[in-house]
Amino acid sequence: MKAVVLHEYGGPEKLVFEDHVSEPQVSGDTVLIAAAAASVNPIDWKVRSGKRQKDIPLSLPVILGRDVSGVVRAVGANVKHFKPGDRVMALSNATYAELVAVDDSDVTHVPDGVNLADAAAIPLIALTGDQLVRHAANVQKGQVVLVTGALGSVGRAAVHSAKKIGAQVIVGVRRKDIEAARSLGVAGVLAVDDDEAIEGFRLVDAIADTIGGDAAAKLMGKIRQGGSFGYASTLAEDAAAQHPAVKITRVQARPDPSKVREFADDVRDGKFVLPIGRRMPLRDVAEAHVLGEKGGIGKIVLLAPDSEPADRE
């Protein structure tokens, strides 16, 4: 099959599009997906560069990618809920490829009305944002939560989940993005690059952080005693010591196909908007990584060879 292979850590140029990669094997509980698309996520370039070797060790060569959407090619003998021809999506691994093998327990159907290729943008960001809010930040109905980086894909998913829980949502963005952030329909907006604004900010019950860095460290002082700080990026090593009264938890997205389907249904119904910044051929993945690392363009979808980008069912 055709796939993108990483043979050594380094820059985007280390991603090699190859024509004769071994196809994945199907076991009794596996769904083999003929990919329509994958998508690019920050974890992809962090792993590619070697920055995450300690917590995500790889055995090179390897195929990167966490999201896939496509059509079922074949199923294992024990699979009951999927059949060849079904439109599906999943959070998985090795998705920069024509064929992706996924445990059936991690797969869900793409609802009618959602573009098949664009569905590949949903799984990882939906699960990261939702689990950031529900589990890492432990947001409850009626609480006040600050979601940082709210115009990013994970941030948008976190805002969506927090609102569905019934929390009062305030979003943190850069000053230049304040007006755009108001369109998210939230209770308030904070400029996270404005020290005076942070200093005068109210105490909140929880923070769901997607930006990390100095801003995140400053904001931790705005969580009430006993509150929670969930994060998806990086955090200063001494953060926990400086804020002993705050519960600090990093999100690690886990497969949850029912939640992925819930987000897809909300996309179909116009309740959740996930901007797609670019649709590019899989073979242009190196360029996609360059664009992704620059940021600011929305999700990047990688169209598999021979996929049908015009699918608008």
Side-chain angles (χ1 to χ4, degrees), residues 65-192:
R66 298 301 316 277
D67 296 312
V68 64
S69 63
V71 176
V72 175
R73 169 76 62 85
V75 299
N78 302 326
V79 175
K80 306 299 183 186
H81 301 295
F82 303 97
K83 64 184 185 303
D86 284 357
R87 292 169 14 114
V88 296
M89 58 185 167
L91 175 67
S92 187
N93 292 291
T95 64
Y96 286 3
E98 277 189 305
L99 297 172
V100 181
V102 187
D103 288 344
D104 68 328
S105 60
D106 295 340
V107 181
T108 191
H109 289 94
V110 175
D112 292 342
V114 173
N115 174 270
L116 182 59
D118 288 355
I122 297 172
L124 183 59
I125 67 97
L127 295 176
T128 302
D130 184 75
Q131 292 167 20
L132 172 64
V133 166
R134 295 179 186 272
H135 304 309
N138 192 32
V139 175
Q140 306 294 316
K141 182 178 180 179
Q143 288 187 329
V144 179
V145 58
L146 172 69
V147 178
T148 65
L151 291 175
S153 299
V154 172
R156 288 174 181 270
V159 168
H160 186 64
S161 287
K163 289 170 69 174
K164 292 186 80 169
I165 288 170
Q168 181 180 343
V169 183
I170 301 171
V171 297
V173 296
R174 290 174 294 184
R175 276 174 290 189
K176 70 181 184 64
D177 295 325
I178 283 181
E179 287 308 312
R182 296 190 195 283
S183 68
L184 297 173
V186 292
V189 181
L190 170 68
V192 295

Side-chain angles (χ1 to χ4, degrees), residues 18 23 56 128 270 277 284-285 291 299 308:
E18 300 182 359
E23 294 185 3
I56 308 178
T128 302
D284 292 341
V285 63
L291 291 171
K299 284 289 290 184
E308 181 49 71

Side-chain angles (χ1 to χ4, degrees), residues 8 20 45 72 89 124 180 184 205 228 275 290 300:
E8 59 181 318
H20 301 290
W45 61 75
V72 175
M89 58 185 167
L124 183 59
L184 297 173
D205 297 298
S228 300
V290 172
I300 300 174

Side-chain angles (χ1 to χ4, degrees), residues 31 64-65 68 89 108 141 186 199 231 268 307:
V31 175
L64 300 182
V68 64
M89 58 185 167
T108 191
K141 182 178 180 179
V186 292
E199 182 64 28
Y231 68 105
R268 175 200 61 202
S307 70

